[in-house]
Amino acid sequence: VRVRLAPARAYVDEKQQGEAVNSNVATTQLEALKSMSVVVADTGKPELVKKFKPQDCTTNPSLCYQAVQDPEYHGFLQQALNSKAAKSTDPARPYAGVADVLSVIIGAEMLKIVPGRVSTEVDAHLSHDAKACYDKAMHLLDMYAARGIEPSRVYIKLASTWAGVEACKRLQHEGVDCNMTLLFSFGQAAACADVGAALISPFVGRILDWHKAKYNRDYAPHEDPGVASVQRIYKYYKAHDYKTIVMAASFRNAGEIRELAGCDNITISPALLDELQASIEPLPRKLWPTMGGNSDERVSGMSQATFDSLHGSDEMAVEKLKHGIDSFSADQKKLEEQLAKLASTL
């Protein structure tokens, strides 16, 4: 007589059997990962997007900066310089508008390749000004629309400050999907889900960096604090039926990615995509929607005071958010300086 398994045990056994089948069918770990998670290419170069065939892609100032170093992309730069939308309203940053146009041009090129979406970043200098974030988002969407691209194919990327959360709430209410980036704390994640953010990007590797520096030790992938943060957020969202997509980002090694196989979305650099593509080892699923294991109560109707309390109690998250905004702003400035230099040679 066959003993009937409890539903939870049966589900787990079914999952494990499915993993074995997937592992046999998939020829590489990258292929296996694509069967569990939406894979996003973290690159500003269209030829690399073509190589790895991700579902979605992303742009940011540092990726655009890397791209324009290549003479092959100077045509994009020329288009940006010639665009009427490239005019800057800030005399201190005459090439800020050119940088915005360039990010949209590169994003539009990528959308010719991927079937999904592109994430396009709002200038990090605006991260603490909700209205400025909203206005910049609409400007970026207007530029995409001028190229025949619907808002449904774009994620507006905002820093996960309280101002960013407020801008996200307004944008989502108007049907504009947001990708909340520079996310390091549970408080940020709870706030983003509470206002209906389409997607969040928790930064796995930067959390690991902080803990390694703080405690002067290394972490194996299974004990990685960045991995643990994403696991907690993922379980919280699924337990409370939030529709916000969890897109794990900012990896330091492929082991972190393997520990998050099954996460909704995973954005991966070309070097780590190469590593996963070269590996033929089985890749077991680590996350799935009904896995349970969450004990966090739902946080609804979050106020700024609650956000400040939850986020502010996490020393790592406070430091990394500030550092991230400063770093993204510096990347933006570096891109604008490079655009000015290249413009003088064209």
Side-chain angles (χ1 to χ4, degrees), residues 45-66:
K45 294 191 173 183
E47 79 270 12
L48 291 176
V49 176
K50 290 177 183 177
K51 175 181 176 181
F52 295 110
K53 300 179 175 64
Q55 174 70 19
D56 294 342
C57 55
T58 188
T59 65
N60 61 45
S62 58
L63 295 178
C64 290
Y65 176 82
Q66 294 167 22

Side-chain angles (χ1 to χ4, degrees), residues 5-24:
L5 296 173
R9 182 71 257 166
Y11 181 83
V12 171
D13 286 348
E14 182 183 340
K15 279 289 178 188
Q16 290 175 337
Q17 291 168 8
E19 286 161 13
V21 171
N22 285 340
S23 296
N24 289 332

Side-chain angles (χ1 to χ4, degrees), residues 57-256:
C57 55
T58 188
T59 65
N60 61 45
S62 58
L63 295 178
C64 290
Y65 176 82
Q66 294 167 22
V68 296
Q69 305 306 306
D70 190 332
E72 182 181 344
Y73 295 95
H74 284 184
F76 294 162
L77 174 58
Q78 191 70 65
Q79 288 181 50
L81 290 168
N82 292 339
S83 172
K84 292 180 181 178
K87 293 180 180 177
S88 175
T89 57
D90 184 352
R93 297 173 56 199
Y95 283 85
V98 179
D100 286 341
V101 176
L102 182 65
S103 69
V104 169
I105 290 171
I106 292 177
E109 285 298 312
M110 290 182 173
L111 286 175
K112 295 176 182 176
I113 306 166
V114 299
R117 301 190 184 212
V118 63
S119 288
T120 298
E121 191 167 305
V122 166
D123 187 345
H125 290 88
L126 310 177
S127 296
H128 294 288
D129 185 332
K131 184 180 184 304
C133 285
Y134 172 86
D135 290 343
K136 179 67 76 173
M138 299 306 286
H139 177 57
L140 292 170
L141 290 174
D142 283 344
M143 288 193 287
Y144 272 114
R147 288 164 174 77
I149 295 168
E150 296 289 334
S152 61
R153 296 205 66 197
V154 180
Y155 285 123
I156 292 297
K157 199 188 298 186
L158 298 162
S160 299
T161 59
W162 180 250
V165 170
E166 288 187 310
C168 170
K169 181 178 182 179
R170 183 177 176 187
L171 288 162
Q172 290 289 162
H173 181 72
E174 295 179 10
V176 175
D177 285 339
C178 298
N179 171 356
M180 302 304 291
T181 190
L182 291 176
L183 194 145
F184 303 99
S185 72
F186 175 77
Q188 288 174 295
C192 291
D194 189 45
V195 299
L199 183 148
I200 63 166
S201 295
F203 277 28
V204 178
R206 296 195 191 196
I207 295 175
L208 172 64
D209 294 343
W210 188 91
H211 281 84
K212 287 175 69 174
K214 177 77 171 179
Y215 300 109
N216 193 31
R217 57 158 293 195
D218 290 324
Y219 294 83
H222 71 275
E223 61 178 354
D224 187 307
V227 168
S229 178
V230 173
Q231 290 170 337
R232 179 187 179 189
I233 292 165
Y234 178 90
K235 292 174 183 178
Y236 171 76
Y237 279 13
K238 304 314 176 191
H240 298 290
D241 199 30
Y242 285 113
K243 303 307 179 188
T244 301
I245 294 165
V246 180
M247 182 169 76
S250 175
F251 294 102
R252 296 296 177 258
N253 57 72
E256 292 175 318

